Amino acid sequence: MSTIQSTPTHSVDDASHGAATPSRSERWLPTMLSVIAGMVDLIGFLSLGIFTAHITGNIVVIGALVVRHNRVNPAQILAIPVFILAVAGTWLLARASGRSGPGLLRLLLLVQFLLLTCVLIFSVSTKPSANPDGLIGCIAAMMAVSAMACQFALLRLGLPVAPSTAVMTGNLTNAVLSFLDTTSRTQRLTAGHTARSNASLHLLVGFFGGCVVAAAAVTYLGDWAWSLPAVLAGVPVAVRMSAENL
């Protein structure tokens, strides 16, 4: 009489959990990018009068100004099509490079670093904060918007498992729901509650910390405040390049 060997039911689950286990870069990189996004958004808001990482915020401000018959900053209007074009440009670059995974991620991180470096050099040279509604201010704002569009795109293309590093509404929602599920004695309503809660909290703290540091930088450094997100953007690029050379 033949015997039928059955595969343990937990093997599939174990495999799926193993596949979903984030790498080291997937754990620390989103938090780093969240700090950068907080800095860029806050510096852009204080010095240029525009949300460089939140297109939603610009749409709200435009609607309010139009209804109240107030003058709209041209940069707030241009931010929407420029963001679209920057995301499309990032996609085209990714496709033309033929890279995927870590190679693509390193390339797009380098592009973000170069864009933020351009914002720094341009701002220090031209002082756009002196006239944020002028042409110089608009150019600086569009470069910052392009850098943030690249960050949004690189996460979706190179690190799709990562949550958003700039839109904190979703991260706050995940953190609250995960906390309630964790503390509740009833059946959990969310899957992966612990990992999602930890990731969301890290991003929330990172974004808020970036905003606080950026506010102080704008107060004491002026246009040189752009040096902080530019330097931070260079860190993951340097780390990945050094890791590949080992």
Side-chain angles (χ1 to χ4, degrees):
M1 182 175 61
S2 61
T3 60
I4 300 177
Q5 295 181 346
S6 60
T7 303
T9 57
H10 58 78
S11 60
V12 176
D13 294 335
D14 293 342
S16 63
H17 287 312
T21 301
S23 65
R24 181 177 300 177
S25 65
E26 292 172 351
R27 290 194 294 267
W28 71 265
L29 182 57
T31 302
M32 172 73 78
L33 294 177
S34 186
V35 175
I36 295 172
M39 287 183 172
V40 173
D41 212 29
L42 197 285
I43 297 172
F45 179 73
L46 291 182
S47 61
L48 303 174
I50 179 176
F51 291 106
T52 53
H54 286 85
I55 298 302
T56 304
N58 292 319
I59 295 175
V60 171
V61 172
I62 291 172
L65 293 176
V66 169
V67 170
R68 292 173 177 255
H69 304 288
N70 293 328
R71 183 177 180 274
V72 179
N73 186 343
Q76 292 172 327
I77 299 177
L78 287 175
I80 301 172
V82 168
F83 188 92
I84 295 173
L85 291 175
V87 171
T90 304
W91 180 85
L92 289 172
L93 177 61
R95 182 160 187 173
S97 69
R99 303 183 185 185
S100 61
L104 176 59
L105 191 60
R106 187 186 71 253
L107 172 64
L108 299 184
L109 285 171
L110 177 60
V111 172
Q112 179 190 234
F113 167 69
L114 293 176
L115 286 171
L116 289 176
T117 301
C118 289
V119 178
L120 169 62
I121 296 173
F122 185 82
S123 297
V124 171
S125 303
T126 62
K127 307 295 182 184
S129 59
N131 183 21
D133 292 341
L135 177 61
I136 299 300
C138 185
I139 294 175
M142 293 308 100
M143 286 192 291
V145 168
S146 298
M148 288 298 95
C150 178
Q151 183 179 124
F152 274 94
L154 75 86
L155 283 170
R156 299 284 73 80
L157 297 173
L159 200 61
V161 297
S164 174
T165 55
V167 181
M168 293 298 108
T169 304
N171 292 326
L172 182 59
T173 301
N174 288 335
V176 172
L177 292 177
S178 298
F179 172 77
L180 293 175
D181 260 357
T182 302
T183 57
S184 175
R185 295 182 179 180
T186 59
Q187 182 179 2
R188 296 188 177 97
L189 299 179
T190 58
H193 63 286
T194 302
R196 181 183 292 109
S197 178
N198 291 337
S200 298
L201 286 175
H202 291 165
L203 294 178
L204 285 167
V205 173
F207 190 89
F208 180 74
C211 289
V212 172
V213 173
V218 171
T219 301
Y220 296 105
L221 301 178
D223 290 301
W224 278 97
W226 290 106
S227 62
L228 296 182
V231 170
L232 281 183
V235 172
V237 177
V239 170
R240 285 186 169 272
M241 286 185 173
S242 63
E244 291 183 359
N245 293 331
L246 292 179

